[in-house]
Amino acid sequence: MQDFPTHLSATGEGLMASLGKPTRYHFETLEELRSYLENVGDGEVDFSAIPISGMAESFHYDGKEKVVTRLDDNKMFDNIEDFLCYAFQCDDEGYPHTEYVDVVSLS
């Protein structure tokens, strides 16, 4: 397993080369996590999201359908923005309450 990068650019440089093997990423903004998902293209990826506080949860992203599903209970998020706010523990106005989310690709 690789060390966490201190910052992954919003363009997701180097991301596609590492998809397919367990890799850890450290996202400090909703935009960085959004970029990670966008770089999947029409593919699919299973990943765990680990917030600064709380428990790790596993998710499946379907790039063709642009949907995220929580694997534990098959809860499907209405859209990517809802998932991003869930992962970053956003308040009602959309401001994140966590400083970062670590992601471990599982597929």
Side-chain angles (χ1 to χ4, degrees):
M1 184 108 12
Q2 293 179 323
D3 292 333
F4 288 96
T6 56
H7 176 74
L8 180 67
S9 70
T11 61
E13 289 180 49
L15 175 64
M16 295 310 289
S18 63
L19 285 178
K21 62 179 181 179
T23 306
R24 298 182 87 141
Y25 299 99
H26 181 84
F27 300 107
E28 295 180 353
T29 68
L30 282 78
E31 183 57 42
E32 289 173 346
L33 183 50
R34 181 183 299 110
S35 178
Y36 169 81
L37 296 174
E38 288 173 354
N39 279 310
V40 172
D42 287 342
E44 297 183 14
V45 64
D46 291 332
F47 62 96
S48 289
I50 308 159
I52 189 173
S53 62
M55 300 296 294
E57 294 184 80
S58 296
F59 300 93
H60 176 80
Y61 176 68
D62 182 333
K64 186 176 280 186
E65 299 294 325
K66 306 288 188 243
V67 295
V68 177
T69 305
R70 187 170 48 209
L71 295 178
D72 293 341
D73 60 4
N74 290 324
K75 179 204 184 311
M76 187 178 298
F77 291 86
D78 291 334
N79 55 55
I80 299 300
E81 294 306 312
D82 284 352
F83 167 72
L84 295 172
C85 277
Y86 177 81
F88 274 88
Q89 304 169 357
C90 293
D91 62 19
D92 292 339
E93 296 177 3
Y95 294 103
H97 281 263
T98 189
E99 294 176 29
Y100 64 84
V101 173
D102 292 327
V103 168
V104 178
S105 69
L106 304 174
S107 64

